[in-house]
Amino acid sequence: MEFISVKKSMEKGNGQVNIRGWCYRVRNSNKMAFIILRDTTEIIQCVVEKSNVSEEIWNEALKVTMECSLEITGEIKKDERAPTGYEISVSSLKIVGESDTFPITKDQSPEFLLDNRHLWLRSRKMNAILKVRSSVFQAIRKFFNDKGFYEEHSPMFSPTSCEGGSTLFEVKYFDDVVYLTQSWQLYAEAMISSLEKIYTIAPCFRAEKSKTSRHLSEFWMAETEIAWYKFEDILKNAEDLVAFIIKYVLENNEGQLKFLGQDIEKLKKIKAPFPRITYTQVLEELKKDGINIEWGKDLRTVEEDAISKKYEKPIIITHYPKKIMAFYKPKDPNDPKTALCFDMIAPDGYGEIIGGSERDTDIEEMKKALIEQGEKPEKYEWYFDTRKYGKVPHSGYGLGVERVIAWLCNLDNIKDTIPFPRTMARKTP
Ligand code: ATP
Ligand code: MG
């Protein structure tokens, strides 16, 4: 027997179809059973009439419970009253896997749904989000592959930190300890002397101790590192990537975005270039609104939100204070107290989606910065070799994939962007 998807069967529109999936809803009378079947593509109403089927099939229909898996054969036809506009008049039905009383019913708390995440993934909401998630990964790969980049990987076990010690996960490594990676960047900088243009999409681990709606302890970062690229070049690459992801998701997932309540027209307007504003200008802008930040302090979520609210597109904030930036972000020769670095902030309060910079090539400058941050430069000797043997200007950035998904899917919390979220408070299921 050949099965087609619910969506395909609706496209066919008439005649006999074989479909399979799970029971989304069921309701019986003594003459009829109404089964709404779902597969990954759609839901459809299937009607079993006692007078139309054998006693065996009717008895099977009476055993159908929510979330049991089923194979159904029947005649499909348009029906305005049915939930998705089509109805199947069932001639044959088989339960493949019975289902106990399904624990998820209407109006359950977010914590209950997270405890039952393995089952909640079946919901139409999670189904829509995970389809967008898949598209975002595809879009990133397509963007870089079409430009001739190589996809490469760095180790997940790392002897040093990249983003600073406070968020490191320590793991036992035989008789020693190592850390779970926070970013592929340092290794990527070694790889570009061979491959020049590279990217990755990989998990990153950060022990984020504050409870926010934007931080996971395990998340996926899309990172690129590009030889010969100067600051201006990397800004352009970053905004082109984000514009491309939006275009790709609009082309492939309009239905899901609408289902999730996203404003399609608003997204359609987001095209590169994006507004650029320096850190110092941000402080001046915020001062006008009565928000005073001392020059040299990093921008916090509230300040990012306040500035991004003024724009309909993502914005690029450049030239943060050098002394609060990671050691590899170089000072701007035209304004040495600032660094050639940037953050991209999404609109609608979704926060920072990209962090990037040109990379310092001056070993002494980097050593000085490491010492200032309480790090041991000796641990980075291999990294300094990348500068010792034929250094070139280069730049890169990391995009938080889940942050982008949360924004595109119009979600309140980053936890819903990933099948099984990991945060300080949650490591199961
Ligand atoms: P934030 O200030 O929001 O903590 P960050 O400055 O630590 O971000 P980067 O180190 O620049 O972030 O990492 C690159 C990108 O990875 C960020 O722009 C963001 O989109 C994403 N990201 C960082 N930390 C997390 C996290 N804990 N969970 C999900 N995404 C994250
Ligand atoms: Mg952080």
Side-chain angles (χ1 to χ4, degrees):
M1 190 150 45
E2 205 178 310
F3 293 92
I4 59 173
S5 70
V6 171
K7 195 154 174 245
K8 278 258 149 56
S9 68
M10 284 164 53
E11 280 160 17
K12 188 173 175 221
N14 60 60
Q16 185 176 299
V17 292
N18 305 316
I19 58 170
R20 59 185 164 189
W22 292 262
C23 171
Y24 181 69
R25 298 270 182 276
V26 59
R27 161 171 77 82
N28 301 328
S29 68
N30 50 20
K31 290 199 186 104
M32 313 257 268
F34 292 90
I35 299 163
I36 297 182
L37 184 108
R38 67 165 179 86
D39 69 3
T40 188
T41 63
E42 235 330 336
I43 59 172
I44 190 163
Q45 177 160 290
C46 304
V47 185
V48 193
E49 271 183 81
K50 190 177 179 183
S51 58
N52 269 353
V53 294
S54 68
E55 199 181 334
E56 192 193 346
I57 302 273
W58 175 248
N59 287 336
E60 186 84 342
L62 294 180
K63 282 191 234 146
V64 169
T65 56
M66 198 171 142
E67 288 305 321
C68 75
S69 50
L70 290 166
E71 291 174 356
I72 283 178
T73 297
E75 290 281 319
I76 188 163
K77 63 174 196 318
K78 259 204 157 90
D79 189 324
E80 299 298 325
R81 295 159 305 170
T84 45
Y86 285 87
E87 190 178 271
I88 290 175
S89 168
V90 177
S91 52
S92 175
L93 169 154
K94 188 177 124 198
I95 295 175
V96 177
E98 290 172 1
S99 175
D100 282 1
T101 308
F102 200 63
I104 301 178
T105 52
K106 259 191 164 158
D107 301 326
Q108 264 151 342
S109 73
E111 277 310 300
F112 181 87
L113 296 179
L114 282 163
D115 288 338
N116 289 282
R117 188 65 157 201
H118 51 297
L119 300 175
W120 180 239
L121 292 178
R122 305 176 182 204
S123 65
R124 298 187 86 201
K125 178 179 176 186
M126 287 308 302
N127 176 284
I129 297 168
L130 295 179
K131 283 177 179 166
V132 173
R133 179 180 170 92
S134 175
S135 282
V136 170
F137 277 74
Q138 283 170 32
I140 295 166
R141 293 211 163 91
K142 184 162 169 50
F143 176 83
F144 287 112
N145 291 346
D146 287 354
K147 292 181 191 300
F149 281 57
Y150 299 98
E151 181 171 0
E152 284 307 335
H153 307 96
S154 66
M156 297 289 115
F157 289 137
S158 175
T160 50
S161 93
C162 183
E163 277 306 308
S166 66
T167 62
L168 282 173
F169 277 110
E170 199 177 282
V171 263
K172 199 167 155 330
Y173 192 78
F174 304 105
D175 294 331
D176 201 354
V177 293
V178 291
Y179 308 102
L180 292 180
T181 184
Q182 297 172 308
S183 159
W184 82 323
Q185 183 196 323
L186 303 187
Y187 293 97
E189 288 183 70
M191 291 187 259
I192 56 158
S193 303
S194 170
L195 298 167
E196 298 193 25
K197 302 189 289 188
I198 56 175
Y199 77 98
T200 201
I201 316 183
C204 288
F205 306 90
R206 296 190 188 179
E208 307 281 3
K209 279 158 205 128
S210 58
K211 279 190 203 140
T212 78
S213 57
R214 294 180 189 168
H215 289 89
L216 294 164
S217 48
E218 177 181 323
F219 64 100
W220 289 70
M221 189 137 72
E223 296 184 77
T224 186
E225 200 66 34
I226 316 173
W228 311 107
Y229 259 43
K230 305 281 285 180
F231 190 50
E232 270 302 313
D233 306 318
I234 201 68
L235 293 182
K236 176 147 193 338
N237 183 284
E239 72 191 357
D240 285 348
L241 171 63
V242 171
F244 183 81
I245 295 172
I246 294 171
K247 184 168 158 274
Y248 190 91
V249 170
L250 281 170
E251 278 165 14
N252 291 283
N253 301 88
E254 195 169 321
Q256 282 87 38
L257 295 181
K258 279 188 183 149
F259 178 82
L260 293 163
Q262 179 56 281
D263 181 342
I264 303 286
E265 293 311 313
K266 203 161 93 183
L267 279 187
K268 278 188 183 155
K269 287 193 204 125
I270 300 179
K271 303 222 162 82
F274 301 160
R276 293 178 191 177
I277 168 168
T278 66
Y279 165 88
T280 307
Q281 287 168 338
V282 170
L283 263 48
E284 283 160 11
E285 277 295 312
L286 292 179
K287 198 167 178 182
K288 288 184 206 154
D289 302 339
I291 305 175
N292 287 304
I293 304 149
E294 193 188 323
W295 201 97
K297 287 248 166 8
D298 206 356
L299 298 177
R300 294 170 307 167
T301 305
V302 276
E303 288 122 25
E304 285 174 0
D305 286 355
I307 191 76
S308 71
K309 254 194 209 126
K310 297 170 186 264
Y311 300 86
E312 302 243 288
K313 287 183 186 185
I315 58 167
I316 298 177
I317 304 178
T318 64
H319 298 89
Y320 285 79
K322 164 73 184 153
K323 66 170 196 279
I324 53 165
M325 289 292 110
F327 74 96
Y328 52 77
K329 297 185 183 174
K331 61 185 178 208
D332 180 357
N334 299 318
D335 183 10
K337 63 180 194 311
T338 68
L340 291 175
C341 65
F342 72 99
D343 280 354
M344 190 186 291
I345 316 292
D348 303 327
Y350 283 95
E352 183 192 320
I353 49 174
I354 294 187
S357 75
E358 195 171 312
R359 311 307 192 191
D360 210 337
T361 53
D362 184 324
I363 298 176
E364 290 315 311
E365 282 286 332
M366 288 192 281
K367 283 189 175 165
K368 207 170 85 188
L370 277 171
I371 291 165
E372 269 166 24
Q373 290 163 11
E375 280 258 23
K376 293 197 183 79
E378 304 84 80
K379 288 202 279 182
Y380 294 81
E381 280 308 330
W382 72 266
Y383 177 74
F384 297 138
D385 277 355
T386 62
R387 315 308 204 244
K388 247 192 240 167
Y389 303 102
K391 70 185 178 190
V392 295
H394 63 285
S395 304
Y397 61 80
L399 170 144
V401 181
E402 284 80 13
R403 295 261 178 104
V404 171
I405 297 165
W407 166 38
L408 296 182
C409 292
N410 193 37
L411 303 176
D412 301 334
N413 198 302
I414 197 165
K415 279 186 275 202
D416 277 343
T417 61
I418 188 163
F420 294 98
R422 295 288 177 256
T423 65
M424 187 166 95
R426 179 163 295 279
K427 52 184 183 309
T428 55

